[in-house]
């Protein structure tokens, strides 16, 4: 993604605001030094402009870098667009974590491969009263899980994919790409830190049929049609 696609107005305003505050502090210090050492009048404008330029550039540059690092960062195992298992994600991110302590993976993008738990799919069509929409994916042994929360925009297409896959050929892995979000999970008097995945578009979920893995599209669709004919 390009920088201008990632930086929103609030982020830029925050960066500029921090820069202005530090500029004011620097100028107050400069004025104090000037008065104490009785600097010549002609030295003040030059020095003041230099500080203005240096401080502003530093804070804008480092501020933008910080925002970009949080908004477009992908966890290391997925850097080459590699989909990792839930087991690998648990090991890399250190799950389960300590309650109340943010995990290093939080806020970063992950590409995960797992199996859809069709018994834990919750969308507005089937459950209109729920305030959220999500589904569950598991590892091969079905012992480790990851909740995938789906944004409202485009959610119908996401759950349509899941329903079509279940009706056509429920076996086989699902591939999802989204942002990891941390949360505390109290259980029977104890608590630990866990992660969920935020899915923002239907193009970020695939069953080898479309979107993320286009090379297998024809094979998958032919297999699906054969199954429908047999039924």
């Amino acid at each position: 993604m390009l920088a201008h696609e990632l930086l929103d107005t609030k982020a830029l305003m925050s960066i500029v605001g921090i820069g202005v505050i530090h500029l004011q502090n620097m100028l107050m210090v400069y004025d104090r030094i000037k008065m104490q050492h009785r600097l010549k009048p002609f030295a003040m404008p030059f020095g003041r402009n230099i500080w203005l330029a240096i401080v502003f550039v530093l804070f804008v540059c480092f501020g933008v870098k910080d925002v970009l690092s949080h908004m477009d960062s992908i966890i290391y195992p997925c850097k080459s667009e590699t989909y990792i298992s839930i087991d690998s994600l648990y090991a890399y991110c250190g799950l389960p974590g300590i309650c109340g302590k943010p995990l290093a993976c939080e806020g970063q993008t992950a590409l995960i491969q797992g199996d859809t738990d069709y018994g834990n799919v919750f969308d507005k069509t089937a459950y209109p009263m729920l305030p959220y929409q999500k589904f569950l994916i598991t590892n091969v042994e079905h012992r480790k899980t990851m909740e995938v929360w789906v944004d409202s925009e485009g959610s119908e297409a996401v759950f349509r994919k899941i329903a079509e896959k279940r009706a056509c050929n429920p076996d086989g892995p699902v591939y999802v790409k989204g942002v990891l979000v941390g949360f505390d999970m109290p259980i029977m008097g104890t608590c630990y830190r866990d992660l969920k995945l935020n899915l923002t578009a239907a193009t970020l979920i695939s069953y080898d049929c479309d979107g993320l893995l286009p090379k297998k599209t024809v094979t998958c669709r032919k297999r699906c049609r054969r199954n429908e004919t047999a039924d």
Side-chain angles (χ1 to χ4, degrees), residues 150-159 200-202:
V150 184
D151 284 1
S152 297
E153 187 175 351
S155 60
E156 289 185 10
V158 170
F159 289 103
T200 58

Side-chain angles (χ1 to χ4, degrees), residues 2 5 43 56 62-63 68 85-86 98 105 113 124 166 218:
L2 297 176
E5 294 175 328
F56 184 77
F62 284 101
L68 287 174
S85 66
I86 293 178
I98 300 172
C105 292
Q113 170 186 337
K124 291 288 187 180
R166 183 179 187 180
V218 177

Side-chain angles (χ1 to χ4, degrees), residues 4-5 52 54 59 73 76-77 84 110 128 130 134 140 167 172 191 194 203 218 220 223 226:
H4 68 270
E5 294 175 328
L52 277 168
I54 292 175
F59 275 92
S73 57
Y76 181 76
I84 62 174
L130 287 178
K134 65 180 181 178
V140 176
C191 180
D194 203 353
T203 55
V218 177
C220 182
R223 184 172 67 246
R226 285 199 299 269

Side-chain angles (χ1 to χ4, degrees), residues 197-216:
L197 192 80
N198 272 6
L199 189 71
T200 58
T203 55
L204 301 179
I205 175 174
S206 173
Y207 285 97
D208 290 357
C209 295
D210 48 35
L212 302 178
L213 303 170
K215 292 182 180 179
K216 299 184 180 180

